[in-house]
Amino acid sequence: MIISRRTMLQGAASVAVAGSFGARAQAAEYTYKYANNLPVTHPMNLRAKEAADKIKQETGGRVEIQIFPNNQLGSDTDMLSQVRSGGVEFFTLSPLILSTLVPNASLSGIGFAFPNYDAVWRAMDGELGAYVRGQIAKANLVVMDKIWDNGFRQITSSNKPIQTPDDLKGFKIRVPVSPLWTSMFTAFGSAPASINFAEVYTALQTKVVDGQENPLAIISTAKLYEVQKYCSVTNHMWDGFWFLANRRAWERLPEDLRAVVAKHMNAAAVAERADVAKLNASLKDELVSKGMVFNEPEAGPFREALRSAGFYAEWKKKYGDEAWAILEKSVGGSLS
Ligand code: X2X
């Protein structure tokens, strides 16, 4: 019997079968990799695993999706190249980081655009989401209809609470690799550093930066509370994850199998939205018990600081009037 690395990875059951009968475990016809940047305990990975199990079952084992969480296959920047080249078949990415390839994908991340989750899902399952998915398709990537939730983002810091926009002046803050993020914190007068999520814990621990911003579900599952003291509930932007596929790999799947994959991944996204909303609403107490100190700044002055720095005007110009109009219509009001 030849024990390949693969048979070993398939676990004790298939090795036992091979051992006793000399038969090889049935390999799936399509074994696809799904890579992402989040800890395995985050609802995105939990729901994706559930979906992968259902897909395997409903396709009679023909489609197997192997999940590589936690930047196991590299940073977001690496994984974006891999999903484009076909090195991985599936990848979830923030619309703002995707904007390094699809400029107008970051529209949904404009500061203080969405007042609440109802407005987010109305827009992302409606015209705004459809517009962005159209842009993504033009870049030759496949994207599932339902965007997954990351959440409303909060600012954490190791040295001081952020209470007013003035507290952000000169603040050394990590931002994800995306022009919109850099522009937003530059508008606040901060000193933003673009760092992939894979390096964030270490960057905070070694004080390369003093702060970062993320939703509570990530501050908790990625244990950022171990290296951050203050959490300021700014809700300064909403962020999600588009579920992307390499086009050639997607088109290799027969149409009926594509439908099964899309159905379960979209349903998982919707289930994950509810999980994350619940977590983000309940995690404050847990993070306080771990030693974090919370404050709840007023949003108005932050929004005003962006406006007076010309942030909205600048991005309206970059996106173009048509795209900006879709955004404003989707959030039900003027943003500039
Ligand atoms: O990099 C981040 O901060 C994260 C995990 O929120 C994103 O993927 C944008």
Side-chain angles (χ1 to χ4, degrees):
M1 175 187 162
I2 298 163
I3 299 183
S4 67
R5 184 160 168 272
R6 188 153 153 273
T7 25
M8 285 179 68
L9 288 173
Q10 276 167 346
S14 50
V15 173
V17 169
S20 38
F21 302 108
R24 276 186 299 139
Q26 186 76 46
E29 230 172 297
Y30 303 94
T31 302
Y32 279 10
K33 297 197 239 340
Y34 160 40
N36 69 71
N37 67 355
L38 291 189
V40 68
T41 49
H42 188 282
M44 191 177 81
N45 275 309
L46 301 175
R47 291 295 182 182
K49 176 72 177 75
E50 255 177 38
D53 290 345
K54 288 180 185 160
I55 289 164
K56 189 169 181 181
Q57 194 180 20
E58 198 175 328
T59 62
R62 292 176 73 196
V63 178
E64 183 175 341
I65 299 177
Q66 300 174 334
I67 304 178
F68 296 85
N70 215 21
N71 296 296
Q72 277 173 21
L73 299 186
S75 69
D76 277 328
T77 305
D78 301 327
M79 292 186 284
L80 179 58
S81 319
Q82 289 168 30
V83 79
R84 294 180 71 195
S85 69
V88 303
E89 288 80 9
F90 298 117
F91 172 43
T92 35
L93 184 63
S94 159
L96 281 83
I97 303 176
L98 182 56
S99 78
T100 56
L101 174 68
V102 181
N104 280 12
S106 64
L107 264 171
S108 56
I110 282 290
F112 302 99
F114 299 106
N116 53 44
Y117 269 123
D118 280 352
V120 169
W121 304 132
R122 216 174 334 145
M124 301 314 286
D125 292 337
E127 194 182 351
L128 180 62
Y131 167 78
V132 170
R133 288 192 300 279
Q135 298 287 306
I136 297 171
K138 281 189 196 157
N140 210 28
L141 283 168
V142 171
V143 57
M144 298 296 125
D145 284 345
K146 297 288 180 185
I147 193 166
W148 300 55
D149 190 27
N150 187 350
F152 284 91
R153 300 179 76 96
Q154 322 300 353
I155 301 176
T156 67
S157 151
S158 59
N159 59 8
K160 62 176 184 189
I162 303 301
Q163 184 62 33
T164 70
D166 268 356
D167 296 324
L168 286 175
K169 293 219 163 87
F171 184 55
K172 285 203 287 185
I173 183 170
R174 171 270 173 172
V175 294
V177 181
S178 160
L180 181 57
W181 251 302
T182 303
S183 157
M184 181 174 184
F185 282 89
T186 302
F188 283 130
S190 308
S194 298
I195 299 175
N196 271 299
F197 191 65
E199 312 295 334
V200 166
Y201 187 97
T202 309
L204 293 168
Q205 192 176 37
T206 58
K207 302 252 162 58
V208 167
V209 286
D210 295 322
Q212 65 87 46
E213 42 81 64
N214 251 304
L216 298 191
I218 286 184
I219 297 168
S220 168
T221 55
K223 301 192 192 304
L224 300 184
Y225 55 81
E226 293 176 351
V227 286
Q228 294 281 272
K229 177 75 181 169
Y230 299 97
C231 182
S232 305
V233 183
T234 48
N235 290 310
H236 55 275
M237 66 162 78
W238 172 82
D239 190 29
F241 295 101
W242 286 116
F243 196 97
L244 306 169
N246 172 271
R247 178 168 293 285
R248 286 182 309 279
W250 183 250
E251 288 174 356
R252 263 199 309 278
L253 294 176
E255 222 161 300
D256 57 327
L257 298 186
R258 277 185 228 163
V260 174
V261 172
K263 177 180 76 178
H264 288 297
M265 283 305 171
N266 284 324
V270 172
E272 186 260 6
R273 294 174 183 180
D275 297 340
V276 173
K278 217 162 107 192
L279 271 184
N280 285 336
S282 66
L283 276 175
K284 181 177 165 189
D285 290 348
E286 193 189 313
L287 291 168
V288 166
S289 78
K290 306 240 196 247
M292 288 198 97
V293 176
F294 275 71
N295 69 301
E296 300 190 358
E298 246 185 275
F302 289 86
R303 198 173 173 160
E304 190 44 45
L306 289 180
R307 196 189 319 273
S308 60
F311 172 80
Y312 295 104
E314 177 190 334
W315 283 91
K316 178 179 179 179
K317 207 160 126 199
K318 283 196 173 127
Y319 291 128
D321 288 345
E322 187 204 339
W324 194 260
I326 295 171
L327 176 64
E328 286 192 330
K329 194 170 140 205
S330 299
V331 301
S334 163
L335 282 167
S336 30

